[in-house]
Amino acid sequence: MTSKSRGCDGYLFDCGVNFEPVLVSACLLGIPCRWHGRKPKKREKLIERLKKRYVLVPICPEQLGGMPTPRTGERLEGSGAEVLDGKLRIIVPETGQDVTRFHVNGAKYTLEIAKIVGARRAYLKGGSPSCDREGVTGEILKRRGIKVIRVP
Ligand code: SF4
């Protein structure tokens, strides 16, 4: 099947529309990747607005880092910057398990995706130890000059 015969729907690079790619937290798109595994509320208005200007690239750093869904729902007791600089660990309160490496790996893989697609901005879900402007992924993207917009 050629790119002409299949049209534009769902294809990022074959439709001749030169929209800028942006990363978007997958849960904002309604994908059930949150720690509890339940379907999140899709942010319809935000998504409709972004789709007019950008190609949306869904990312879930915690899944990219190797964490399952459902998974533990730990909090960041500091900043993503401290985690990346090796000054803070992310620990599951109930079990004491150190899950830092999953968050750091997810941030690194997300950064790789941003580089591959050429994203210069990211819309990340607030209140997450990975996403969020101050989360581990938010921080690694900011350090590489990618604009991070926190979605509350
Ligand atoms: Fe959503 Fe980000 Fe948490 Fe994944 S890591 S569920 S994309 S907030």
PDB file of all heavy atoms in Angstrom, residues 25-27 33-34 59-62 71 125 128 131, ligand 1:
ATOM      1  N   SER A  25       2.050  13.276  27.734  1.00  0.00           N
ATOM      2  CA  SER A  25       1.851  12.160  28.661  1.00  0.00           C
ATOM      3  C   SER A  25       0.695  11.308  28.155  1.00  0.00           C
ATOM      4  O   SER A  25      -0.412  11.815  27.916  1.00  0.00           O
ATOM      5  CB  SER A  25       1.514  12.678  30.056  1.00  0.00           C
ATOM      6  OG  SER A  25       2.606  13.358  30.606  1.00  0.00           O
ATOM      7  N   ALA A  26       0.952  10.014  28.015  1.00  0.00           N
ATOM      8  CA  ALA A  26      -0.040   9.134  27.401  1.00  0.00           C
ATOM      9  C   ALA A  26      -1.361   9.121  28.171  1.00  0.00           C
ATOM     10  O   ALA A  26      -2.440   9.016  27.569  1.00  0.00           O
ATOM     11  CB  ALA A  26       0.530   7.718  27.305  1.00  0.00           C
ATOM     12  N   CYS A  27      -1.292   9.272  29.501  1.00  0.00           N
ATOM     13  CA  CYS A  27      -2.541   9.228  30.272  1.00  0.00           C
ATOM     14  C   CYS A  27      -3.437  10.429  29.967  1.00  0.00           C
ATOM     15  O   CYS A  27      -4.660  10.336  30.109  1.00  0.00           O
ATOM     16  CB  CYS A  27      -2.252   9.105  31.766  1.00  0.00           C
ATOM     17  SG  CYS A  27      -1.195  10.403  32.417  1.00  0.00           S
ATOM     18  N   CYS A  33      -2.501   3.953  31.454  1.00  0.00           N
ATOM     19  CA  CYS A  33      -1.128   3.614  31.855  1.00  0.00           C
ATOM     20  C   CYS A  33      -0.798   4.116  33.252  1.00  0.00           C
ATOM     21  O   CYS A  33       0.340   3.992  33.696  1.00  0.00           O
ATOM     22  CB  CYS A  33      -0.139   4.182  30.844  1.00  0.00           C
ATOM     23  SG  CYS A  33      -0.350   5.945  30.524  1.00  0.00           S
ATOM     24  N   ARG A  34      -1.782   4.680  33.968  1.00  0.00           N
ATOM     25  CA  ARG A  34      -1.478   5.211  35.308  1.00  0.00           C
ATOM     26  C   ARG A  34      -1.205   4.077  36.282  1.00  0.00           C
ATOM     27  O   ARG A  34      -1.557   2.925  36.037  1.00  0.00           O
ATOM     28  CB  ARG A  34      -2.616   6.104  35.799  1.00  0.00           C
ATOM     29  CG  ARG A  34      -2.715   7.391  34.967  1.00  0.00           C
ATOM     30  CD  ARG A  34      -3.449   8.467  35.691  1.00  0.00           C
ATOM     31  NE  ARG A  34      -2.742   8.848  36.893  1.00  0.00           N
ATOM     32  CZ  ARG A  34      -3.318   9.440  37.941  1.00  0.00           C
ATOM     33  NH1 ARG A  34      -4.601   9.707  37.923  1.00  0.00           N
ATOM     34  NH2 ARG A  34      -2.602   9.744  39.009  1.00  0.00           N
ATOM     35  N   ILE A  59       3.783   9.439  25.308  1.00  0.00           N
ATOM     36  CA  ILE A  59       4.873   8.762  26.045  1.00  0.00           C
ATOM     37  C   ILE A  59       4.400   8.491  27.478  1.00  0.00           C
ATOM     38  O   ILE A  59       3.675   9.282  28.055  1.00  0.00           O
ATOM     39  CB  ILE A  59       6.172   9.600  26.074  1.00  0.00           C
ATOM     40  CG1 ILE A  59       5.908  11.062  26.465  1.00  0.00           C
ATOM     41  CG2 ILE A  59       6.880   9.562  24.734  1.00  0.00           C
ATOM     42  CD1 ILE A  59       6.054  11.416  27.881  1.00  0.00           C
ATOM     43  N   CYS A  60       4.794   7.346  28.015  1.00  0.00           N
ATOM     44  CA  CYS A  60       4.593   7.084  29.444  1.00  0.00           C
ATOM     45  C   CYS A  60       5.962   6.691  30.002  1.00  0.00           C
ATOM     46  O   CYS A  60       6.401   5.537  29.858  1.00  0.00           O
ATOM     47  CB  CYS A  60       3.580   5.973  29.695  1.00  0.00           C
ATOM     48  SG  CYS A  60       3.456   5.589  31.464  1.00  0.00           S
ATOM     49  N   PRO A  61       6.670   7.618  30.616  1.00  0.00           N
ATOM     50  CA  PRO A  61       8.032   7.325  31.079  1.00  0.00           C
ATOM     51  C   PRO A  61       8.109   6.138  32.035  1.00  0.00           C
ATOM     52  O   PRO A  61       9.090   5.382  32.004  1.00  0.00           O
ATOM     53  CB  PRO A  61       8.443   8.626  31.783  1.00  0.00           C
ATOM     54  CG  PRO A  61       7.601   9.674  31.154  1.00  0.00           C
ATOM     55  CD  PRO A  61       6.300   9.023  30.839  1.00  0.00           C
ATOM     56  N   GLU A  62       7.101   5.967  32.876  1.00  0.00           N
ATOM     57  CA  GLU A  62       7.200   4.865  33.854  1.00  0.00           C
ATOM     58  C   GLU A  62       7.088   3.514  33.151  1.00  0.00           C
ATOM     59  O   GLU A  62       7.786   2.561  33.515  1.00  0.00           O
ATOM     60  CB  GLU A  62       6.155   5.058  34.954  1.00  0.00           C
ATOM     61  CG  GLU A  62       6.532   6.253  35.816  1.00  0.00           C
ATOM     62  CD  GLU A  62       5.540   6.599  36.907  1.00  0.00           C
ATOM     63  OE1 GLU A  62       4.639   5.793  37.205  1.00  0.00           O
ATOM     64  OE2 GLU A  62       5.672   7.710  37.462  1.00  0.00           O
ATOM     65  N   ARG A  71       0.979  -0.600  39.057  1.00  0.00           N
ATOM     66  CA  ARG A  71       2.288  -0.596  39.730  1.00  0.00           C
ATOM     67  C   ARG A  71       2.167   0.213  41.019  1.00  0.00           C
ATOM     68  O   ARG A  71       1.098   0.711  41.341  1.00  0.00           O
ATOM     69  CB  ARG A  71       3.355   0.026  38.813  1.00  0.00           C
ATOM     70  CG  ARG A  71       3.037   1.443  38.358  1.00  0.00           C
ATOM     71  CD  ARG A  71       4.062   1.971  37.386  1.00  0.00           C
ATOM     72  NE  ARG A  71       3.641   3.246  36.788  1.00  0.00           N
ATOM     73  CZ  ARG A  71       2.857   3.365  35.736  1.00  0.00           C
ATOM     74  NH1 ARG A  71       2.386   2.292  35.137  1.00  0.00           N
ATOM     75  NH2 ARG A  71       2.505   4.549  35.268  1.00  0.00           N
ATOM     76  N   LYS A 125       1.857  15.466  32.465  1.00  0.00           N
ATOM     77  CA  LYS A 125       0.882  15.435  33.559  1.00  0.00           C
ATOM     78  C   LYS A 125       1.546  15.869  34.872  1.00  0.00           C
ATOM     79  O   LYS A 125       2.583  15.334  35.262  1.00  0.00           O
ATOM     80  CB  LYS A 125       0.356  14.003  33.678  1.00  0.00           C
ATOM     81  CG  LYS A 125      -0.462  13.717  34.897  1.00  0.00           C
ATOM     82  CD  LYS A 125      -1.925  13.922  34.600  1.00  0.00           C
ATOM     83  CE  LYS A 125      -2.800  13.500  35.765  1.00  0.00           C
ATOM     84  NZ  LYS A 125      -2.540  14.234  37.007  1.00  0.00           N
ATOM     85  N   SER A 128       3.090  13.848  39.026  1.00  0.00           N
ATOM     86  CA  SER A 128       3.704  12.530  38.830  1.00  0.00           C
ATOM     87  C   SER A 128       5.196  12.628  39.140  1.00  0.00           C
ATOM     88  O   SER A 128       5.834  13.628  38.794  1.00  0.00           O
ATOM     89  CB  SER A 128       3.502  12.093  37.371  1.00  0.00           C
ATOM     90  OG  SER A 128       4.508  11.175  36.988  1.00  0.00           O
ATOM     91  N   CYS A 131       6.541  12.332  35.148  1.00  0.00           N
ATOM     92  CA  CYS A 131       6.091  13.480  34.377  1.00  0.00           C
ATOM     93  C   CYS A 131       6.089  14.674  35.339  1.00  0.00           C
ATOM     94  O   CYS A 131       6.749  14.614  36.367  1.00  0.00           O
ATOM     95  CB  CYS A 131       4.722  13.193  33.762  1.00  0.00           C
ATOM     96  SG  CYS A 131       4.785  11.911  32.462  1.00  0.00           S
TER      97      CYS A 131
HETATM   98 FE1  SF4 B   1       0.866   9.420  32.938  1.00  0.00          FE
HETATM   99 FE2  SF4 B   1       3.401  10.101  33.040  1.00  0.00          FE
HETATM  100 FE3  SF4 B   1       2.360   8.646  34.997  1.00  0.00          FE
HETATM  101 FE4  SF4 B   1       2.758   7.560  32.597  1.00  0.00          FE
HETATM  102  S1  SF4 B   1       4.338   8.303  33.987  1.00  0.00           S
HETATM  103  S2  SF4 B   1       0.926   7.391  33.834  1.00  0.00           S
HETATM  104  S3  SF4 B   1       2.316   9.275  31.272  1.00  0.00           S
HETATM  105  S4  SF4 B   1       1.791  10.745  34.472  1.00  0.00           S
END
